[in-house]
């Protein structure tokens, strides 16, 4: 950017650099690039989405939700964005909204693992343990190798002191 690339390359380069900074957890640099990008109509929506990711990674969940809302208004609903909004609402302890956004994400993409996990976590927090187990079991039926769902199911069983289930699960793993 210091060597001032041609104008037709500047914005795509800023987007690529911002995404790289986001993935390498250089959130301050990513935020600066995306803030600059949102000033340009062609890149405003995608910049908002990435600003939402930066804010979420920094634990600024209300800011993340605002950025995601702006992205959805400009671009339309997307399962990944709705699932992230669900997680943000979960972190803010706004459980009905978290559940609503997870369900909207699952309507768009029934196989979205992030939305399934966020929904199960929300249901656990709401005390709907049976429904949470159902979501986790269905996820494992559809994705048998999903370690995150298995781990969450084991945590839930441990919390419920379901030691026979835990023993069977451990025996199966050892075999």
């Amino acid at each position: 950017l210091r060597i001032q690339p041609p104008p037709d390359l500047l914005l795509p380069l800023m987007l690529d650099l911002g995404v790289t900074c986001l993935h390498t957890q250089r959130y301050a640099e990513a935020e600066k690039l995306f803030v600059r990008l949102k000033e340009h109509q062609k890149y405003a929506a995608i910049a908002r989405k990435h600003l939402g990711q930066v804010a979420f990674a920094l634990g600024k969940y209300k800011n993340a939700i605002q950025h995601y809302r702006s992205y959805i208004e400009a671009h339309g609903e997307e399962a990944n964005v709705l699932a992230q909004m669900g997680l943000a609402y979960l972190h803010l302890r706004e459980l009905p909204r978290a559940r609503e956004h997870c369900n909207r994400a699952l309507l768009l993409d029934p196989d979205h693992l992030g939305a399934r996990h966020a929904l199960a976590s929300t249901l656990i927090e709401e005390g709907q343990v049976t429904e949470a187990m159902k979501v986790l079991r269905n996820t494992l039926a559809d994705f048998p190798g999903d370690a995150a769902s298995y781990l969450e199911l084991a945590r839930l069983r441990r919390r419920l002191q379901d030691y026979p289930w835990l023993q069977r699960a451990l025996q199966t793993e050892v075999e």
Side-chain angles (χ1 to χ4, degrees):
L1 291 176
R2 283 191 207 120
I3 62 171
Q4 298 177 347
D8 61 322
L9 295 178
L10 179 62
L11 297 179
L13 179 61
M14 287 173 57
L15 177 61
D16 290 343
L17 285 171
V19 170
T20 301
C21 289
L22 178 62
H23 289 294
T24 57
Q25 300 177 357
R26 297 178 67 173
Y27 301 121
E29 292 92 341
E31 186 174 36
K32 287 177 190 174
L33 290 164
F34 294 134
V35 165
R36 285 177 57 191
L37 272 176
K38 79 176 183 178
E39 304 300 323
H40 301 277
Q41 185 176 359
K42 182 179 177 183
Y43 291 92
I46 194 69
R48 287 288 193 172
K49 178 182 177 180
H50 292 309
L51 282 167
Q53 293 170 326
V54 168
F56 186 91
L58 295 173
K60 299 176 181 177
Y61 303 115
K62 288 183 181 182
N63 290 349
I65 290 167
Q66 292 301 334
H67 288 301
Y68 289 141
R69 273 195 193 130
S70 294
Y71 174 77
I72 288 173
E73 287 172 9
H75 189 266
E77 288 190 342
E78 187 177 295
N80 285 334
V81 174
L82 290 168
Q84 277 298 114
M85 287 179 78
L87 277 174
Y89 280 120
L90 176 61
H91 285 287
L92 292 171
R93 311 279 307 146
E94 295 183 33
L95 303 179
R97 284 184 168 179
R99 188 175 6 89
E100 172 195 341
H101 283 78
C102 292
N103 284 325
R104 283 171 50 192
L106 289 169
L107 284 174
L108 292 175
D109 180 3
D111 293 333
H112 195 282
L113 284 173
R116 288 179 180 213
H117 289 251
L119 178 60
S121 297
T122 301
L123 291 169
I124 290 168
E125 291 299 313
E126 288 180 323
Q128 297 184 44
V129 176
T130 305
E131 284 299 311
M133 273 198 257
K134 181 179 174 184
V135 169
L136 293 168
R137 281 194 307 265
N138 288 342
T139 301
L140 287 169
D142 294 340
F143 302 95
D146 184 36
S149 291
Y150 186 76
L151 180 62
E152 193 60 40
L153 186 59
R155 281 187 188 133
L156 186 54
R157 295 287 188 160
R158 185 184 76 207
R159 194 167 103 185
L160 296 171
Q161 297 181 351
D162 188 353
Y163 299 119
W165 184 92
L166 290 167
Q167 226 172 5
R168 285 191 307 276
L170 183 58
Q171 285 174 337
T172 302
E173 287 300 314
V174 171
E175 289 172 5

